[in-house]
Amino acid sequence: MKKIVVGLLGISALSVGVACAAPKPYSNFVVFGDSLVDAGQFPDTVIPGQTKRFTNRTGPNFFDTPYGPVSSMLIGERLGMSSTQLAGSTSPVNQAQGLKDGDNWAVGGYRTDQIYDSITAVSGSVVADGGTTLRVRDGYLPSLQAQGQSIDRNTLFYISGGGNDFLQGLILSPQQAARSADRLAASVTALQEAGGRYFMVWMLPDIGLTPQVYDTPLQDFVSDLSTAFNAQLVQQLSDVSADVIVLNIPKLLSEGLQNPAQFGLDGNENLIGTCFNGDGCTENLKYGINSATADPSKLLFNDSVHPTITGQRLIADYGYSILAAPWEITLLPEMARSALNHHQNNLTNYALNSQPAWQASGQWSSYASASGERTNYRSQSSASKGDSDHYALSFGASYRINEQWRAGVGVSLQESTLTAGVEDSKYQLNSYLLSPFIQYNHQAFWADANLSAGRLDYDSLRRKMALNTSKRTEKGDTKGSVLGIHSRVGYQLFSAQEPLQLSPYVSMSYARFKVDNYAEKGSHSTALTFAEQKRTSKRLGAGLLASYQLSAPLRLSAEAGYEKEFNKDQQRLGMSLNSVNSIDFKLKGYKPDSSLGTLGLGAAYQISDALTVQGNYNYMHADSVRQHALAVGVSLNW
């Protein structure tokens, strides 16, 4: 259909591009856990004034350059958090330099009981190196209480733990694995009971697939205990009354090992049995720190248990892809909103261009038009920037009942494509809309109304995300429906014999959009299931119509309007991971604008008493949306 319409129009719809920042739906980002997410609590023993992180150093020299960021820092940066917020909470280095403490409470070496204490206990945040205590302060909740503060409901908590329970010999049976998982889940519960709402929690990586344990007699035993830990953790988190995202880290890393090159790793190397720096494991001969081609980004492990920067980026990209999904998917009802607007504009254009020269009483009039529309979505705090193209073929007919009344029906077939998000996800919609309409015109008063119903076919939904150096696309499809009512009442200021006509009017519209639930295909760690979306719109408006008979065959028209939206509720999208489908969560998405302005320009050229050709331009402007549409068509009285 798109090629047909473009050929008929001979032009493309205009677009307005606006540079906008990424969405920022979370007010704070607070981290708890162990070395896997520690942003730098301990002093760097090589570089004075720097802090240590448990991943590889970066730069041209991997012996005395700063440590790379961990996943918590990478996600936090993309969420718009400052470096101060992402810094360690209890760092003796920052304290000595007079720097403000951050909100990363993770400390290398912490067990699950220590993670719980760092949240709940007075003097619960402890940074200790061997037998030397470097700094102690109150845990997160006591610290908030001492400052007279409480948890902001828009805080996102990021939590990882359990590995040190294994490494320190506390998990030697399935029962001990379950108790350790219970303690980590209790940390989430403590935060939820204190007001926390949004959580992102790691499932424990398979400890049996680390260089420390791999290819030893303990590998299968430890892997089984890791599985037991995760099963208990998922079960406990499913009972937490909050929006909990459980990151399936074991599955993500398994996918990386199955297809290493896709994620920037070297599949020709032993990615589990070797590491980068040789600390507690076999240094990789090709990419190890002492090799001539040292490159930790090609390896999964920096040392015997900690991932390289590549592993950290994979985890960060994975987590961010889930947070960003509702910023794109909640635009699907807005695609339907644009399709309905486009359809109703075509009906209005037909009415406007034929007013007041309706066909004679007892006669029919038919019309056909081809049109294109470009919608630009500006970035919101919880919705992505995007551009949507709509192409439509519209046709219909009306019958003049008597001097005052005309009734008819209009049909629109549309094809829409939305490109949204940092990685240019692609979402396609085919919509089929039908609208019976009625018009009234008596002396100076006029009115029109239409009832629109339609079927939505989202036949290709391709959500794209970055995973380190590569991109992944998750695919799905779904259906939907739309129902809308639009009416206007106006008063014509001048007599019908005057070439200039002005007519103020008031308008009312109601619309309901439904997008069915759907699951992305496959069982990747990144694949998601989305709940049904329902969106309603209630608008009141006012405007002014104007027309001028420039010559006997040529008539120009214009329309300006303002509409107030009364249903401004922000969308909250229900979601779950296909690989952890027992836990549902809801995240924020698109928020409708409170008001919008419209402008329409038209021209109609009467070739004969029966045949008229017409062209129209429509523009809509709101805080987060810009919309341009062009249409050409013909109408025939018979």
Side-chain angles (χ1 to χ4, degrees):
M1 184 195 300
K2 179 176 178 179
K3 292 182 179 178
I4 296 174
V5 175
V6 172
L8 288 168
L9 289 175
I11 51 177
S12 62
L14 301 175
S15 66
V16 175
V18 182
C20 297
K24 298 179 180 179
Y26 303 104
S27 56
N28 297 308
F29 184 66
V30 183
V31 182
F32 300 97
D34 51 27
S35 55
L36 292 173
V37 293
D38 182 345
Q41 304 283 14
F42 294 92
D44 187 334
T45 57
V46 175
I47 307 176
Q50 292 290 317
T51 54
K52 178 181 181 180
R53 283 179 289 278
F54 296 84
T55 187
N56 59 271
R57 294 183 183 273
T58 58
N61 186 340
F62 296 106
F63 292 94
D64 58 6
T65 49
Y67 288 96
V70 293
S71 65
S72 56
M73 301 170 68
L74 294 169
I75 291 179
E77 288 171 0
R78 297 184 72 179
L79 293 175
M81 305 299 163
S82 68
S83 58
T84 299
Q85 286 176 287
L86 300 176
S89 65
T90 318
S91 168
V93 175
N94 291 346
Q95 183 185 44
Q97 296 176 358
L99 300 177
K100 184 178 179 180
D101 288 321
D103 268 328
N104 187 310
W105 299 74
V107 177
Y110 267 10
R111 304 179 304 270
T112 52
D113 59 316
Q114 292 170 305
I115 294 171
Y116 182 80
D117 287 344
S118 72
I119 296 170
T120 63
V122 174
S123 301
S125 183
V126 181
V127 176
D129 187 3
T132 304
T133 298
L134 303 179
R135 188 179 174 195
V136 178
R137 63 173 294 201
D138 288 346
Y140 174 70
L141 293 178
S143 292
L144 284 181
Q145 186 176 16
Q147 299 172 60
Q149 299 178 0
S150 58
I151 292 177
D152 186 320
R153 292 282 282 171
N154 290 319
T155 297
L156 174 63
F157 294 98
Y158 187 76
I159 301 172
S160 167
N164 289 306
D165 295 45
F166 280 84
L167 299 178
Q168 296 179 29
L170 300 182
I171 296 179
L172 299 174
S173 68
Q175 294 75 21
Q176 289 174 328
R179 285 195 292 271
S180 178
D182 289 343
R183 287 192 293 271
L184 190 62
S187 296
V188 177
T189 300
L191 292 166
Q192 180 268 323
E193 291 176 346
R197 182 177 188 177
Y198 299 108
F199 298 87
M200 182 172 278
V201 184
W202 284 34
M203 290 174 65
L204 184 68
D206 187 345
I207 306 299
L209 295 180
T210 62
Q212 180 164 318
V213 182
Y214 177 70
D215 203 23
T216 71
L218 292 175
Q219 178 184 337
D220 291 341
F221 175 68
V222 173
S223 290
D224 290 342
L225 293 180
S226 298
T227 300
F229 176 96
N230 286 327
Q232 181 69 9
L233 179 64
V234 170
Q235 180 180 334
Q236 291 296 312
L237 292 178
S238 66
D239 294 330
V240 177
S241 181
D243 295 305
V244 182
I245 304 166
V246 179
L247 295 180
N248 197 337
I249 304 297
K251 188 168 185 61
L252 173 71
L253 297 182
S254 173
E255 292 165 1
L257 292 172
Q258 291 171 8
N259 194 350
Q262 183 181 7
F263 302 120
L265 300 165
D266 190 337
N268 296 318
E269 298 299 307
N270 185 347
L271 298 175
I272 304 177
T274 65
C275 66
F276 174 65
N277 69 9
D279 183 5
C281 59
T282 301
E283 181 183 333
N284 187 272
L285 294 178
K286 183 175 181 180
Y287 297 115
I289 193 169
N290 293 298
S291 69
T293 54
D295 186 355
S297 69
K298 298 297 184 182
L299 303 174
L300 186 58
F301 285 95
N302 176 57
D303 55 29
S304 61
V305 292
H306 298 107
T308 61
I309 187 64
T310 294
Q312 294 286 357
R313 284 174 181 155
L314 278 172
I315 294 167
D317 287 343
Y318 170 40
Y320 188 79
S321 74
I322 298 170
L323 297 174
W327 308 343
E328 299 177 13
I329 302 302
T330 54
L331 291 177
L332 298 185
E334 300 314 307
M335 293 180 72
R337 165 88 266 182
S338 292
L340 178 62
N341 283 346
H342 195 46
H343 173 63
Q344 291 178 334
N345 281 341
N346 285 331
L347 292 176
T348 302
N349 291 337
Y350 170 63
L352 181 63
N353 290 323
S354 62
Q355 188 180 9
W358 290 352
Q359 70 270 28
S361 294
Q363 281 193 339
W364 288 87
S365 174
S366 57
Y367 74 92
S369 69
S371 55
E373 179 185 88
R374 163 62 65 93
T375 302
N376 171 254
Y377 297 99
R378 304 174 72 189
S379 181
Q380 297 184 344
S381 63
S382 295
S384 294
K385 179 181 176 182
D387 294 299
S388 181
D389 292 316
H390 302 261
Y391 299 91
L393 291 175
S394 301
F395 48 91
S398 66
Y399 178 77
R400 187 164 184 179
I401 301 170
N402 53 38
E403 287 298 315
Q404 290 80 37
W405 293 94
R406 182 169 77 159
V409 63
V411 176
S412 179
L413 309 177
Q414 296 190 41
E415 182 180 280
S416 308
T417 301
L418 169 68
T419 302
V422 176
E423 304 302 331
D424 291 335
S425 299
K426 299 285 186 182
Y427 304 100
Q428 293 185 358
L429 166 65
N430 294 319
S431 51
Y432 312 91
L433 294 130
L434 173 70
S435 293
F437 62 86
I438 191 165
Q439 295 174 268
Y440 174 80
N441 198 331
H442 180 63
Q443 296 179 354
F445 287 97
W446 62 269
D448 57 41
N450 61 71
L451 172 65
S452 301
R455 182 169 70 89
L456 308 174
D457 181 9
Y458 294 93
D459 65 345
S460 178
L461 305 176
R462 296 173 178 265
R463 185 173 61 91
K464 298 181 181 181
M465 68 210 70
L467 286 176
N468 193 34
T469 58
S470 69
K471 289 186 180 181
R472 173 180 283 181
T473 300
E474 296 293 355
K475 303 175 183 179
D477 58 77
T478 189
K479 306 291 184 181
S481 61
V482 57
L483 179 67
I485 301 172
H486 180 73
S487 64
R488 302 182 301 174
V489 177
Y491 184 84
Q492 193 167 290
L493 297 178
F494 305 143
S495 70
Q497 287 71 39
E498 295 292 332
L500 175 64
Q501 298 292 322
L502 292 176
S503 182
Y505 68 87
V506 293
S507 65
M508 181 279 294
S509 65
Y510 168 85
R512 184 184 68 202
F513 311 95
K514 182 172 76 71
V515 179
D516 295 343
N517 63 296
Y518 76 97
E520 293 173 329
K521 296 176 174 62
S523 58
H524 282 155
S525 58
T526 49
L528 297 169
T529 294
F530 301 102
E532 178 183 83
Q533 296 185 70
K534 291 182 179 179
R535 152 111 153 84
T536 58
S537 173
K538 300 174 184 178
R539 295 177 180 176
L540 290 178
L544 179 68
L545 296 178
S547 66
Y548 186 75
Q549 195 73 42
L550 188 63
S551 64
L554 180 59
R555 185 167 178 268
L556 305 178
S557 59
E559 176 183 355
Y562 173 86
E563 289 184 296
K564 178 73 174 178
E565 175 65 68
F566 290 90
N567 196 337
K568 300 173 288 184
D569 294 341
Q570 185 168 24
Q571 304 300 295
R572 278 175 49 82
L573 179 60
M575 304 163 58
S576 64
L577 278 76
N578 289 3
S579 61
V580 195
N581 57 18
S582 60
I583 298 182
D584 299 328
F585 51 91
K586 289 185 177 181
L587 300 180
K588 292 181 181 179
Y590 183 82
K591 180 176 174 60
D593 292 301
S594 60
S595 61
L596 57 93
T598 59
L599 173 69
L601 301 173
Y605 190 88
Q606 189 172 4
I607 297 176
S608 68
D609 290 342
L611 181 64
T612 301
V613 296
Q614 58 199 47
N616 291 90
Y617 166 75
N618 293 96
Y619 172 68
M620 189 268 282
H621 178 104
D623 287 343
S624 67
V625 180
R626 304 288 188 271
Q627 204 170 76
H628 301 260
L630 290 168
V632 293
V634 296
S635 61
L636 177 68
N637 296 335
W638 46 283

